PDB file of all heavy atoms in Angstrom:
ATOM      1  N   LEU T 611      61.296 -48.921  37.761  1.00  0.00           N
ATOM      2  CA  LEU T 611      60.406 -49.994  38.183  1.00  0.00           C
ATOM      3  C   LEU T 611      59.081 -49.453  38.704  1.00  0.00           C
ATOM      4  O   LEU T 611      58.007 -49.996  38.402  1.00  0.00           O
ATOM      5  CB  LEU T 611      61.089 -50.845  39.251  1.00  0.00           C
ATOM      6  CG  LEU T 611      62.263 -51.702  38.771  1.00  0.00           C
ATOM      7  CD1 LEU T 611      62.847 -52.496  39.926  1.00  0.00           C
ATOM      8  CD2 LEU T 611      61.823 -52.636  37.665  1.00  0.00           C
ATOM      9  N   ARG T 612      59.127 -48.388  39.495  1.00  0.00           N
ATOM     10  CA  ARG T 612      57.877 -47.823  40.008  1.00  0.00           C
ATOM     11  C   ARG T 612      57.038 -47.241  38.877  1.00  0.00           C
ATOM     12  O   ARG T 612      55.808 -47.286  38.910  1.00  0.00           O
ATOM     13  CB  ARG T 612      58.183 -46.771  41.069  1.00  0.00           C
ATOM     14  CG  ARG T 612      58.783 -47.353  42.355  1.00  0.00           C
ATOM     15  CD  ARG T 612      59.216 -46.243  43.301  1.00  0.00           C
ATOM     16  NE  ARG T 612      59.738 -46.758  44.551  1.00  0.00           N
ATOM     17  CZ  ARG T 612      60.994 -47.173  44.723  1.00  0.00           C
ATOM     18  NH1 ARG T 612      61.829 -47.156  43.685  1.00  0.00           N
ATOM     19  NH2 ARG T 612      61.404 -47.613  45.893  1.00  0.00           N
ATOM     20  N   GLY T 613      57.710 -46.660  37.881  1.00  0.00           N
ATOM     21  CA  GLY T 613      56.977 -46.163  36.732  1.00  0.00           C
ATOM     22  C   GLY T 613      56.293 -47.286  35.970  1.00  0.00           C
ATOM     23  O   GLY T 613      55.158 -47.145  35.504  1.00  0.00           O
ATOM     24  N   ALA T 614      56.973 -48.422  35.850  1.00  0.00           N
ATOM     25  CA  ALA T 614      56.358 -49.578  35.181  1.00  0.00           C
ATOM     26  C   ALA T 614      55.167 -50.091  35.974  1.00  0.00           C
ATOM     27  O   ALA T 614      54.139 -50.479  35.397  1.00  0.00           O
ATOM     28  CB  ALA T 614      57.399 -50.678  34.989  1.00  0.00           C
ATOM     29  N   ALA T 615      55.277 -50.103  37.303  1.00  0.00           N
ATOM     30  CA  ALA T 615      54.142 -50.528  38.121  1.00  0.00           C
ATOM     31  C   ALA T 615      52.990 -49.533  38.037  1.00  0.00           C
ATOM     32  O   ALA T 615      51.821 -49.922  38.059  1.00  0.00           O
ATOM     33  CB  ALA T 615      54.580 -50.700  39.573  1.00  0.00           C
ATOM     34  N   ARG T 616      53.322 -48.236  37.923  1.00  0.00           N
ATOM     35  CA  ARG T 616      52.246 -47.239  37.787  1.00  0.00           C
ATOM     36  C   ARG T 616      51.540 -47.382  36.442  1.00  0.00           C
ATOM     37  O   ARG T 616      50.316 -47.191  36.346  1.00  0.00           O
ATOM     38  CB  ARG T 616      52.828 -45.841  37.940  1.00  0.00           C
ATOM     39  CG  ARG T 616      51.792 -44.751  37.985  1.00  0.00           C
ATOM     40  CD  ARG T 616      50.847 -44.938  39.155  1.00  0.00           C
ATOM     41  NE  ARG T 616      51.468 -44.618  40.417  1.00  0.00           N
ATOM     42  CZ  ARG T 616      51.132 -45.167  41.574  1.00  0.00           C
ATOM     43  NH1 ARG T 616      50.182 -46.084  41.610  1.00  0.00           N
ATOM     44  NH2 ARG T 616      51.730 -44.824  42.701  1.00  0.00           N
ATOM     45  N   ALA T 617      52.271 -47.730  35.390  1.00  0.00           N
ATOM     46  CA  ALA T 617      51.626 -48.012  34.104  1.00  0.00           C
ATOM     47  C   ALA T 617      50.671 -49.195  34.233  1.00  0.00           C
ATOM     48  O   ALA T 617      49.622 -49.238  33.576  1.00  0.00           O
ATOM     49  CB  ALA T 617      52.682 -48.295  33.039  1.00  0.00           C
ATOM     50  N   LEU T 618      51.012 -50.142  35.079  1.00  0.00           N
ATOM     51  CA  LEU T 618      50.115 -51.269  35.338  1.00  0.00           C
ATOM     52  C   LEU T 618      48.831 -50.787  36.018  1.00  0.00           C
ATOM     53  O   LEU T 618      47.733 -51.288  35.727  1.00  0.00           O
ATOM     54  CB  LEU T 618      50.841 -52.298  36.212  1.00  0.00           C
ATOM     55  CG  LEU T 618      50.350 -53.742  36.180  1.00  0.00           C
ATOM     56  CD1 LEU T 618      50.499 -54.334  34.797  1.00  0.00           C
ATOM     57  CD2 LEU T 618      51.117 -54.572  37.201  1.00  0.00           C
ATOM     58  N   ASP T 619      48.947 -49.821  36.937  1.00  0.00           N
ATOM     59  CA  ASP T 619      47.759 -49.237  37.563  1.00  0.00           C
ATOM     60  C   ASP T 619      46.848 -48.603  36.522  1.00  0.00           C
ATOM     61  O   ASP T 619      45.623 -48.787  36.545  1.00  0.00           O
ATOM     62  CB  ASP T 619      48.169 -48.171  38.583  1.00  0.00           C
ATOM     63  CG  ASP T 619      48.576 -48.773  39.905  1.00  0.00           C
ATOM     64  OD1 ASP T 619      48.078 -49.860  40.235  1.00  0.00           O
ATOM     65  OD2 ASP T 619      49.396 -48.158  40.598  1.00  0.00           O
ATOM     66  N   ALA T 620      47.447 -47.802  35.626  1.00  0.00           N
ATOM     67  CA  ALA T 620      46.649 -47.150  34.588  1.00  0.00           C
ATOM     68  C   ALA T 620      45.958 -48.186  33.701  1.00  0.00           C
ATOM     69  O   ALA T 620      44.787 -48.018  33.325  1.00  0.00           O
ATOM     70  CB  ALA T 620      47.536 -46.231  33.748  1.00  0.00           C
ATOM     71  N   ALA T 621      46.669 -49.263  33.366  1.00  0.00           N
ATOM     72  CA  ALA T 621      46.060 -50.311  32.554  1.00  0.00           C
ATOM     73  C   ALA T 621      44.925 -51.004  33.291  1.00  0.00           C
ATOM     74  O   ALA T 621      43.891 -51.347  32.698  1.00  0.00           O
ATOM     75  CB  ALA T 621      47.123 -51.328  32.137  1.00  0.00           C
ATOM     76  N   LEU T 622      45.077 -51.201  34.612  1.00  0.00           N
ATOM     77  CA  LEU T 622      44.019 -51.838  35.389  1.00  0.00           C
ATOM     78  C   LEU T 622      42.774 -50.954  35.445  1.00  0.00           C
ATOM     79  O   LEU T 622      41.643 -51.452  35.389  1.00  0.00           O
ATOM     80  CB  LEU T 622      44.516 -52.144  36.805  1.00  0.00           C
ATOM     81  CG  LEU T 622      43.508 -52.799  37.751  1.00  0.00           C
ATOM     82  CD1 LEU T 622      43.042 -54.142  37.198  1.00  0.00           C
ATOM     83  CD2 LEU T 622      44.095 -52.966  39.142  1.00  0.00           C
ATOM     84  N   LEU T 623      42.959 -49.637  35.560  1.00  0.00           N
ATOM     85  CA  LEU T 623      41.809 -48.735  35.556  1.00  0.00           C
ATOM     86  C   LEU T 623      41.055 -48.823  34.225  1.00  0.00           C
ATOM     87  O   LEU T 623      39.822 -48.748  34.194  1.00  0.00           O
ATOM     88  CB  LEU T 623      42.276 -47.302  35.816  1.00  0.00           C
ATOM     89  CG  LEU T 623      42.757 -47.004  37.234  1.00  0.00           C
ATOM     90  CD1 LEU T 623      43.283 -45.574  37.334  1.00  0.00           C
ATOM     91  CD2 LEU T 623      41.638 -47.214  38.241  1.00  0.00           C
ATOM     92  N   GLN T 624      41.781 -48.982  33.127  1.00  0.00           N
ATOM     93  CA  GLN T 624      41.116 -49.139  31.847  1.00  0.00           C
ATOM     94  C   GLN T 624      40.353 -50.463  31.783  1.00  0.00           C
ATOM     95  O   GLN T 624      39.247 -50.523  31.233  1.00  0.00           O
ATOM     96  CB  GLN T 624      42.143 -49.054  30.717  1.00  0.00           C
ATOM     97  CG  GLN T 624      42.794 -47.681  30.577  1.00  0.00           C
ATOM     98  CD  GLN T 624      43.736 -47.623  29.388  1.00  0.00           C
ATOM     99  OE1 GLN T 624      43.643 -48.408  28.460  1.00  0.00           O
ATOM    100  NE2 GLN T 624      44.659 -46.663  29.410  1.00  0.00           N
ATOM    101  N   VAL T 625      40.928 -51.512  32.341  1.00  0.00           N
ATOM    102  CA  VAL T 625      40.215 -52.795  32.371  1.00  0.00           C
ATOM    103  C   VAL T 625      38.924 -52.662  33.176  1.00  0.00           C
ATOM    104  O   VAL T 625      37.859 -53.134  32.772  1.00  0.00           O
ATOM    105  CB  VAL T 625      41.121 -53.892  32.964  1.00  0.00           C
ATOM    106  CG1 VAL T 625      40.344 -55.189  33.152  1.00  0.00           C
ATOM    107  CG2 VAL T 625      42.318 -54.137  32.061  1.00  0.00           C
ATOM    108  N   ARG T 626      39.007 -51.997  34.322  1.00  0.00           N
ATOM    109  CA  ARG T 626      37.808 -51.821  35.143  1.00  0.00           C
ATOM    110  C   ARG T 626      36.731 -51.043  34.404  1.00  0.00           C
ATOM    111  O   ARG T 626      35.541 -51.366  34.487  1.00  0.00           O
ATOM    112  CB  ARG T 626      38.168 -51.082  36.435  1.00  0.00           C
ATOM    113  CG  ARG T 626      38.924 -51.902  37.458  1.00  0.00           C
ATOM    114  CD  ARG T 626      39.285 -51.031  38.637  1.00  0.00           C
ATOM    115  NE  ARG T 626      40.096 -51.733  39.619  1.00  0.00           N
ATOM    116  CZ  ARG T 626      40.750 -51.118  40.601  1.00  0.00           C
ATOM    117  NH1 ARG T 626      40.688 -49.801  40.710  1.00  0.00           N
ATOM    118  NH2 ARG T 626      41.464 -51.817  41.455  1.00  0.00           N
ATOM    119  N   SER T 627      37.133 -49.998  33.686  1.00  0.00           N
ATOM    120  CA  SER T 627      36.143 -49.146  33.015  1.00  0.00           C
ATOM    121  C   SER T 627      35.362 -49.908  31.956  1.00  0.00           C
ATOM    122  O   SER T 627      34.210 -49.576  31.673  1.00  0.00           O
ATOM    123  CB  SER T 627      36.838 -47.939  32.384  1.00  0.00           C
ATOM    124  OG  SER T 627      37.656 -48.338  31.291  1.00  0.00           O
ATOM    125  N   VAL T 628      35.973 -50.926  31.371  1.00  0.00           N
ATOM    126  CA  VAL T 628      35.303 -51.692  30.319  1.00  0.00           C
ATOM    127  C   VAL T 628      34.641 -52.941  30.878  1.00  0.00           C
ATOM    128  O   VAL T 628      33.491 -53.251  30.557  1.00  0.00           O
ATOM    129  CB  VAL T 628      36.300 -52.080  29.205  1.00  0.00           C
ATOM    130  CG1 VAL T 628      35.613 -52.918  28.136  1.00  0.00           C
ATOM    131  CG2 VAL T 628      36.902 -50.829  28.585  1.00  0.00           C
ATOM    132  N   VAL T 629      35.347 -53.657  31.738  1.00  0.00           N
ATOM    133  CA  VAL T 629      34.850 -54.947  32.208  1.00  0.00           C
ATOM    134  C   VAL T 629      33.846 -54.788  33.342  1.00  0.00           C
ATOM    135  O   VAL T 629      32.874 -55.540  33.428  1.00  0.00           O
ATOM    136  CB  VAL T 629      36.025 -55.841  32.660  1.00  0.00           C
ATOM    137  CG1 VAL T 629      35.522 -57.170  33.205  1.00  0.00           C
ATOM    138  CG2 VAL T 629      36.962 -56.071  31.491  1.00  0.00           C
ATOM    139  N   ARG T 630      34.040 -53.797  34.214  1.00  0.00           N
ATOM    140  CA  ARG T 630      33.144 -53.636  35.359  1.00  0.00           C
ATOM    141  C   ARG T 630      31.687 -53.488  34.950  1.00  0.00           C
ATOM    142  O   ARG T 630      30.805 -54.115  35.548  1.00  0.00           O
ATOM    143  CB  ARG T 630      33.595 -52.435  36.189  1.00  0.00           C
ATOM    144  CG  ARG T 630      32.703 -52.106  37.364  1.00  0.00           C
ATOM    145  CD  ARG T 630      32.860 -53.096  38.491  1.00  0.00           C
ATOM    146  NE  ARG T 630      34.148 -52.997  39.125  1.00  0.00           N
ATOM    147  CZ  ARG T 630      34.539 -53.773  40.143  1.00  0.00           C
ATOM    148  NH1 ARG T 630      33.723 -54.692  40.595  1.00  0.00           N
ATOM    149  NH2 ARG T 630      35.729 -53.646  40.674  1.00  0.00           N
ATOM    150  N   PRO T 631      31.327 -52.652  33.938  1.00  0.00           N
ATOM    151  CA  PRO T 631      29.910 -52.579  33.554  1.00  0.00           C
ATOM    152  C   PRO T 631      29.349 -53.897  33.040  1.00  0.00           C
ATOM    153  O   PRO T 631      28.136 -54.085  33.028  1.00  0.00           O
ATOM    154  CB  PRO T 631      29.904 -51.514  32.441  1.00  0.00           C
ATOM    155  CG  PRO T 631      31.120 -50.703  32.677  1.00  0.00           C
ATOM    156  CD  PRO T 631      32.134 -51.678  33.198  1.00  0.00           C
ATOM    157  N   LEU T 632      30.206 -54.803  32.604  1.00  0.00           N
ATOM    158  CA  LEU T 632      29.729 -56.073  32.071  1.00  0.00           C
ATOM    159  C   LEU T 632      29.530 -57.120  33.161  1.00  0.00           C
ATOM    160  O   LEU T 632      29.052 -58.216  32.885  1.00  0.00           O
ATOM    161  CB  LEU T 632      30.736 -56.621  31.049  1.00  0.00           C
ATOM    162  CG  LEU T 632      31.087 -55.677  29.896  1.00  0.00           C
ATOM    163  CD1 LEU T 632      32.065 -56.360  28.980  1.00  0.00           C
ATOM    164  CD2 LEU T 632      29.848 -55.264  29.134  1.00  0.00           C
ATOM    165  N   VAL T 633      29.893 -56.787  34.415  1.00  0.00           N
ATOM    166  CA  VAL T 633      29.759 -57.766  35.487  1.00  0.00           C
ATOM    167  C   VAL T 633      28.292 -58.052  35.758  1.00  0.00           C
ATOM    168  O   VAL T 633      27.862 -59.181  35.880  1.00  0.00           O
ATOM    169  CB  VAL T 633      30.481 -57.260  36.753  1.00  0.00           C
ATOM    170  CG1 VAL T 633      30.164 -58.149  37.934  1.00  0.00           C
ATOM    171  CG2 VAL T 633      31.986 -57.231  36.512  1.00  0.00           C
ATOM    172  N   ARG T 634      27.488 -56.996  35.837  1.00  0.00           N
ATOM    173  CA  ARG T 634      26.059 -57.188  36.044  1.00  0.00           C
ATOM    174  C   ARG T 634      25.410 -57.486  34.697  1.00  0.00           C
ATOM    175  O   ARG T 634      25.424 -56.667  33.794  1.00  0.00           O
ATOM    176  CB  ARG T 634      25.428 -55.954  36.679  1.00  0.00           C
ATOM    177  CG  ARG T 634      25.890 -55.740  38.110  1.00  0.00           C
ATOM    178  CD  ARG T 634      25.028 -54.705  38.804  1.00  0.00           C
ATOM    179  NE  ARG T 634      25.410 -54.554  40.190  1.00  0.00           N
ATOM    180  CZ  ARG T 634      24.958 -55.324  41.177  1.00  0.00           C
ATOM    181  NH1 ARG T 634      24.120 -56.293  40.900  1.00  0.00           N
ATOM    182  NH2 ARG T 634      25.340 -55.136  42.410  1.00  0.00           N
TER     183      ARG T 634
END
Side-chain angles (χ1 to χ4, degrees):
L611 290 180
R612 292 173 178 83
R616 187 60 73 209
L618 203 62
D619 279 332
L622 179 60
L623 289 176
Q624 294 184 21
V625 173
R626 286 177 184 166
S627 69
V628 178
V629 178
R630 177 74 69 181
L632 305 181
V633 171
R634 292 192 177 275

